[in-house]
């Protein structure tokens, strides 16, 4: 399975933008880049995904490098509720099932 | 929130005893998954199902079996629990891949302690 590399931890301030980087130098042409986050004592929660083009949704934006070897999750205006572990995942697929391989993720701390 | 429940939510059991964890969904999603999460680690896939009676192994399937006799239920069984299986277990569901089907929804988790 293709792997991703993320910083172990990051810190930001409330109401400021946050850029969470992810390297995936061994990505294949058919791998989708997914981001999930896990709040304390909860199951992971889907954030966003993309293939080649930048993507936006109500939670975040995903910027994908032109060579697809890296991507950045952007939280435009962080709140205290965004404090979580963020996972960058390359989605593998078999018979329509998503085989997600989670790394250790980035623990994001938001300061008030 | 997606309709996913896990039972029990907490369980303490002794080494060598069988344990079954249940995942129940009300979304009628085709795909279901079992993960485990250990302290300081991300989730690891144990088994998954791509339909009733259709299951396959994930990356850490040794010591676990699964069954899916109905769309809504996916059971994870530890035939003979060991201390190394102490973990938090998460169930997840998805419709499939492509477009809006790409989200995977997770349950609240089951904390299992094997003494």
């Amino acid at each position: 399975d293709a792997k991703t590399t993320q910083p172990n931890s990051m810190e930001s301030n409330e109401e400021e933008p946050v850029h969470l980087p992810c390297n995936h130098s061994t990505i294949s042409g058919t791998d989708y880049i997914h981001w999930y986050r896990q709040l304390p004592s909860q199951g992971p929660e889907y954030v966003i995904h993309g293939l080649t083009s930048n993507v936006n949704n109500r939670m975040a934006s995903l910027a994908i490098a032109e060579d697809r070897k890296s991507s950045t999750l952007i939280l435009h205006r962080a709140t205290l509720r965004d404090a979580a572990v963020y996972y960058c995942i390359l989605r593998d697929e078999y018979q329509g099932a998503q085989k997600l391989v989670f790394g250790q993720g980035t623990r994001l701390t938001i300061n008030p | 929130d997606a309709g996913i429940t896990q039972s029990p939510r907490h369980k303490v059991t002794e080494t060598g005893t069988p344990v079954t964890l249940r995942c129940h969904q009300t979304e009628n999603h085709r795909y279901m998954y079992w993960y485990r999460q250990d302290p300081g680690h991300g989730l690891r896939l144990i088994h998954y199902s791509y339909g009733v009676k259709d299951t396959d192994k994930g990356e850490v399937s040794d010591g676990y079996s699964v069954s899916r006799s109905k769309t809504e239920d996916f059971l994870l069984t530890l035939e003979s629990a060991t201390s190394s299986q102490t973990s938090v277990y998460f169930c997840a569901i998805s419709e499939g891949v492509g477009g809006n089907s790409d989200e995977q929804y997770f349950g609240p988790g089951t904390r299992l302690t094997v003494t």
Side-chain angles (χ1 to χ4, degrees):
Chain A
D1 294 321
K3 297 195 174 175
T4 62
T5 304
Q6 302 175 251
N8 288 334
S9 62
M10 291 184 64
E11 199 169 327
S12 186
N13 298 319
E14 199 174 10
E15 299 188 3
E16 291 184 356
V18 180
H19 291 237
L20 296 164
C22 181
N23 288 320
H24 28 79
S25 58
T26 59
I27 191 171
S28 71
T30 56
D31 284 333
Y32 279 76
I33 302 158
H34 283 235
W35 284 81
Y36 281 75
R37 72 180 186 180
Q38 187 173 21
L39 280 63
S41 300
Q42 294 187 26
E45 172 188 35
Y46 168 85
V47 177
I48 200 167
H49 77 279
L51 181 62
T52 56
S53 304
N54 294 344
V55 184
N56 301 296
N57 66 19
R58 63 176 179 80
M59 290 182 69
S61 295
L62 176 60
I64 301 172
E66 197 168 334
D67 63 5
R68 301 209 328 124
K69 294 184 185 299
S70 66
S71 61
T72 302
L73 178 71
I74 303 165
L75 307 179
H76 294 285
R77 196 159 173 246
T79 70
L80 296 178
R81 289 173 294 180
D82 291 322
V85 178
Y86 286 79
Y87 296 99
C88 169
I89 300 163
L90 300 184
R91 189 205 75 202
D92 192 8
E93 179 255 329
Y94 178 71
Q95 296 188 335
Q98 303 173 16
K99 295 174 70 176
L100 302 181
V101 179
F102 287 77
Q104 295 201 13
T106 296
R107 182 173 299 277
L108 176 64
T109 301
I110 304 296
N111 300 313
Chain B
D1 289 341
I4 310 169
T5 56
Q6 293 184 230
S7 58
R9 293 293 313 280
H10 302 271
K11 186 171 182 66
V12 180
T13 191
E14 293 184 349
T15 299
T17 59
V19 176
T20 295
L21 308 183
R22 179 183 184 234
C23 178
H24 179 78
Q25 61 145 329
T26 58
E27 305 296 324
N28 201 36
H29 282 2
R30 178 180 174 186
Y31 303 94
M32 299 186 75
Y33 312 81
W34 276 108
Y35 294 86
R36 63 176 286 174
Q37 184 171 33
D38 302 301
H41 293 82
L43 281 72
R44 292 182 290 172
L45 183 64
I46 305 171
H47 281 279
Y48 63 98
S49 168
Y50 47 96
V52 173
K53 296 193 188 327
D54 291 323
T55 65
D56 206 348
K57 297 178 180 180
E59 63 177 310
V60 290
S61 59
D62 287 348
Y64 302 95
S65 62
V66 290
S67 65
R68 191 167 177 203
S69 58
K70 299 185 289 185
T71 298
E72 58 265 35
D73 289 326
F74 193 32
L75 304 181
L76 176 71
T77 298
L78 292 65
E79 300 290 348
S80 178
T82 67
S83 58
S84 65
Q85 294 176 310
T86 293
S87 189
V88 179
Y89 291 85
F90 289 99
C91 173
I93 64 174
S94 70
E95 288 185 89
V97 296
N100 293 330
S101 299
D102 258 337
E103 294 188 38
Q104 199 166 117
Y105 303 93
F106 286 80
T110 293
R111 183 173 297 275
L112 176 67
T113 302
V114 183
T115 62

